[in-house]
Amino acid sequence: MAFVKSMWRILVAVKDGLVLLFLLLFFGALYAALSFTPRPVNSVSTGALLLRLDGTIVEQPHEIDGLSALSGRRQMREYRLRDVVTAIEAGATDSKVKAIVLDLDGFMGGGQVALSRVGKALDSARAAKKPVLAYATYYSDDAYLLAAHASEVWLNPLGGVAPVGPGGSRLYYKGLMDKLGINAHVYRVGTYKSFVEPYIRTESSPEAKQADQALADALWDDWKQDVAKARPRAKLAAFVADPAAMARAAQGDLGKAALDAGMVDKLGDELAFSARVAAIAGKAKDGTADSFATVSFDRYVKARRPANDGQIGVVTIAGDIVDGEGGPGTAAGDTIADLIYKALAKRDLKALVVRVDSPGGSVTASERIRQAILTARKQGLPVVVSMGNVAASGGYWVSTPGDRIFAEPDTITGSIGVFGILPSFEGTMAKIGISSDGVKTTPLSGEPNVFGGISPAFDTMAQGSVDNMYRRFVALVAQSRHKTPAQVDGIAQGRVWDGGTARQNGLVDRFGGLEDAIAEAARLAKVDPASARPSYIEKEPDKVVAFLEQFLQDEEDIADGEARNAQARDWLGRQALLQQIWALQVVSDVRGMIGGSAIRASCLECRGYAPPRPLTREDRGVLAMLMAKLW
């Protein structure tokens, strides 16, 4: 017994010691994070500015998942568009930057508007006689849209270029829902409002397919024009018309086919490419024969990022529009509205630019943001809207207060329509022998009864509410665009438009990017556009998150490229990986039906033209639930 007591005391002492050690480490890390300030970057080394884009280019990156980062799980990195542009434009005239290198082996996309803006920055660098070199094992559509603007395009001999164009399949759940006994109650307005179709159909409606085809064709034509202009020597038309024929002519050698068509300049592996860059920018200081001197992208951006103290406020509405509060990368209504109110109260702003890159979402959150923007107008500030890749449905709702709306030809906008969707499970309950019964004091008692069946009275009221919300949406657009409600209804009905067509039908005023919108806002505010500077209205990063981001960036500098080792780089593997990522849309589709705001202004087809986003913890939870149900 004495021995057992001694062992117990030892175990307790060990346990207490481990708990104390854990607490010391925890509070030490917490203190370091809370007292953390990003270290200043006083100098930049000489070499090639390396843009190793292992991830996506987005308008506003999501905040990193702290738990995933601490557990060692890396989420797909997102690069802020304006950071990429800032680095390239600064590097174009920086004598320390000998070349600009695009390593696109891990690039997952960015949307045509964002990539076209990066392409313009690369063109400016080339005009300043700065060498721009691109390398990849496989060039997807998005990767090649960037590479086409390089002065030298390199391809791994084992890889290829395979433009596939926009389009593809979408998942429809009606058959599965019928088998499970789930009934989707849909309330919508808009002939083309196709968001709800996966839940009530087994295939696309003719109206939705017609609109989707027109949009895909317009974006594909713009892609080909952009590439042909950037790389006129490429036999682009023949290559995209029948890539299989080109591959057969090269006996299946995709690299040779790309070289023969002028799509690339050189075939060579990473060693050969590094040697070429080293000949321009110098060798790495560590003396490694196959590496070149590099300028870190992250540190270079910090050194060249302008001060955020301008006269033109810029608020970003990026991602799904949701109710409540949220971090960057998600357009949370309360958070964005509060940011606008605080900026109007504390900053000396002369105008407001609203940068929109959102497929929409909650109607109530969209209206909350719109009201905050209207406050700027009530204070006498001009408001200019700048549309990015997507500004549709709720993304257009928040654009209606603008004095001017700027977009690009490849912007996806419109989708002026409203819908609501509620699932009910009376069929599911019946399959497993469960029924429901009760009493009512009014026709709406216990409604919506998702287990016993939603009543006709509730359906009537829900559809009436959606009808009313659509009329309000149309009225807002009519007032903003100086049209009659009937004219707006003719171009609304949930129809999605490319930027060029949207300009023709009056939904957009002018073509131009964010810089053009800032200049226009300055002119409207009677500020010299040449001296106008932006003041970005954004949520300050959490100190712990900022500490983790700095830590992860430093880790990437030390172990450069380590995270990409397991990622497929060959053509077949990358195509499969991209399809797997898009197949995970089932997660957001399921979440869209069972959670979030009931009445929404959201665009389904828009999501297929945006870069894939990292899975959140909520997404992983839904995915785990689905896997458990299926297996």
Side-chain angles (χ1 to χ4, degrees):
M1 183 62 70
F3 174 75
V4 173
K5 289 181 178 179
S6 298
M7 289 301 298
W8 176 251
R9 283 195 294 270
I10 292 173
L11 290 174
V12 170
V14 170
K15 182 263 294 181
D16 290 343
L18 290 174
V19 169
L20 179 61
L21 179 61
F22 173 79
L23 289 174
L24 288 172
L25 290 173
F26 172 77
F27 285 110
L30 184 62
Y31 173 78
L34 292 176
S35 60
F36 166 77
T37 55
R39 64 169 179 264
V41 183
N42 298 318
S43 62
V44 173
S45 58
T46 299
L49 175 61
L50 176 59
L51 278 70
R52 176 170 277 139
L53 301 176
D54 283 358
T56 60
I57 294 176
V58 298
E59 195 66 42
Q60 186 181 67
H62 288 78
E63 206 166 61
I64 67 168
D65 184 343
L67 290 177
S68 296
L70 289 173
S71 67
R73 184 193 299 123
R74 291 176 178 267
Q75 65 185 49
M76 182 171 58
R77 182 168 177 187
E78 296 174 310
Y79 298 82
R80 189 190 302 271
L81 171 60
R82 71 171 186 263
D83 286 346
V84 175
V85 171
T86 294
I88 294 171
E89 291 183 341
T93 56
D94 190 343
S95 60
K96 290 185 176 181
V97 174
K98 306 302 181 183
I100 297 173
V101 173
L102 302 172
D103 185 338
L104 302 173
D105 242 358
F107 187 54
M108 303 304 293
Q112 282 187 210
V113 169
L115 299 182
S116 294
R117 180 63 188 92
V118 177
K120 290 178 182 177
L122 294 171
D123 289 342
S124 298
R126 290 182 61 183
K129 307 302 181 185
K130 189 74 64 174
V132 178
L133 298 92
Y135 174 85
T137 304
Y138 160 64
Y139 286 105
S140 64
D141 292 5
D142 282 3
Y144 195 77
L145 191 56
L146 291 184
H149 292 269
S151 46
E152 289 186 26
V153 181
W154 283 65
L155 175 68
N156 189 302
L158 299 179
V161 180
V164 298
S169 299
R170 184 179 298 154
L171 299 177
Y172 290 80
Y173 312 113
K174 181 67 166 62
L176 175 63
M177 293 172 66
D178 287 345
K179 288 183 178 181
L180 296 177
I182 301 173
N183 185 19
H185 298 259
V186 169
Y187 319 100
R188 66 169 172 170
V189 182
T191 304
Y192 300 94
K193 201 63 188 173
S194 60
F195 193 105
V196 299
E197 288 192 353
Y199 311 110
I200 60 175
R201 297 179 60 92
T202 57
E203 59 183 8
S204 178
S205 67
E207 295 84 1
K209 184 165 288 188
Q210 175 195 9
D212 288 353
Q213 188 67 57
L215 177 63
D217 290 343
L219 294 178
W220 183 231
D221 287 342
D222 287 345
W223 186 93
K224 291 186 289 185
Q225 290 176 21
D226 191 332
V227 171
K229 182 180 178 180
R231 194 173 177 82
R233 61 185 175 276
K235 302 173 185 175
L236 180 64
F239 194 82
V240 300
D242 195 352
M246 304 288 285
R248 284 194 299 271
Q251 297 183 332
D253 188 335
L254 299 183
K256 185 177 183 302
L259 185 65
D260 292 343
M263 301 292 286
V264 301
D265 298 301
K266 299 281 186 180
L267 296 180
D269 59 16
E270 288 180 285
L271 296 179
F273 179 72
S274 294
R276 169 58 179 153
V277 178
I280 299 172
K283 293 184 177 181
K285 290 182 179 180
D286 60 10
T288 307
D290 60 353
S291 62
F292 54 90
T294 63
V295 176
S296 165
F297 167 75
D298 291 309
R299 296 186 183 182
Y300 194 72
V301 167
K302 288 177 185 175
R304 296 296 186 269
R305 186 180 288 141
N308 193 34
D309 57 357
Q311 323 95 309
I312 311 300
V314 180
V315 62
T316 301
I317 302 172
D320 291 335
I321 299 177
V322 299
D323 293 300
E325 298 182 351
T330 299
D334 289 351
T335 298
I336 293 176
D338 289 344
L339 286 172
I340 294 173
Y341 291 135
K342 289 178 182 177
L344 294 175
K346 296 181 179 180
R347 303 190 195 185
D348 184 19
L349 301 178
K350 305 300 182 185
L352 180 67
V353 171
V354 182
R355 177 67 169 179
V356 183
D357 192 16
S358 169
S362 164
V363 167
T364 53
S366 300
E367 178 61 10
R368 178 136 167 73
I369 295 171
R370 189 186 76 89
Q371 289 293 338
I373 297 170
L374 282 176
T375 301
R377 292 194 62 172
K378 292 175 183 176
Q379 294 183 7
L381 273 65
V383 174
V384 177
V385 173
S386 171
M387 293 180 169
N389 289 314
V390 179
S393 280
Y396 197 88
W397 186 298
V398 299
S399 301
T400 54
D403 296 296
R404 304 280 191 278
I405 296 180
F406 282 74
E408 300 283 6
D410 295 330
T411 296
I412 301 170
T413 188
S415 191
I416 299 167
V418 182
F419 71 92
I421 183 168
L422 284 173
S424 66
F425 305 93
E426 63 273 23
T428 309
M429 297 296 100
K431 287 177 181 289
I432 58 177
I434 298 177
S435 59
S436 65
D437 196 8
V439 298
K440 287 179 175 284
T441 54
T442 74
L444 296 180
S445 295
E447 295 292 338
N449 187 352
V450 296
F451 295 112
I454 297 175
S455 71
F458 183 90
D459 282 339
T460 299
M461 293 189 66
Q463 183 61 52
S465 179
V466 170
D467 290 339
N468 179 62
M469 201 66 70
Y470 177 72
R471 287 192 295 269
R472 178 176 175 80
F473 197 171
V474 168
L476 288 174
V477 177
Q479 181 182 16
S480 171
R481 299 283 87 202
H482 307 293
K483 295 177 179 292
T484 66
Q487 289 173 323
V488 174
D489 187 59
I491 56 175
Q493 294 289 319
R495 178 72 180 263
V496 180
W497 306 98
D498 64 278
T501 308
R503 185 181 179 186
Q504 293 174 13
N505 62 32
L507 292 176
V508 168
D509 293 307
R510 302 178 190 174
F511 288 149
L514 178 59
E515 295 87 351
D516 301 300
I518 292 172
E520 177 66 12
R523 280 189 288 268
L524 292 175
K526 295 181 171 39
V527 174
D528 181 6
S531 63
R533 302 184 316 279
S535 176
Y536 290 98
I537 302 169
E538 296 178 324
K539 183 179 179 182
E540 289 294 325
D542 181 90
K543 293 242 180 193
V544 175
V545 171
F547 173 76
L548 289 173
E549 286 180 338
Q550 179 68 65
F551 175 78
L552 291 175
Q553 286 176 5
D554 289 345
E555 186 183 45
E556 287 174 1
D557 285 341
I558 295 170
D560 203 6
E562 183 179 321
R564 64 157 61 167
N565 289 340
Q567 182 173 292
R569 302 193 205 181
D570 63 281
W571 174 75
L572 190 59
R574 286 299 300 280
Q575 281 296 101
L577 176 62
L578 286 169
Q579 293 304 314
Q580 289 168 15
I581 291 174
W582 284 119
L584 290 175
Q585 73 176 22
V586 66
V587 178
S588 59
D589 288 348
V590 170
R591 286 185 65 191
M593 186 175 70
I594 64 177
S597 176
I599 299 179
R600 278 173 281 176
S602 194
C603 174
L604 174 67
E605 51 269 59
C606 300
R607 286 163 166 76
Y609 297 100
R613 65 176 180 82
L615 281 179
T616 64
R617 273 179 288 173
E618 290 81 5
D619 289 333
R620 286 192 286 269
V622 174
L623 183 60
M625 178 189 74
L626 290 174
M627 297 294 285
K629 293 293 183 184
L630 292 173
W631 281 278

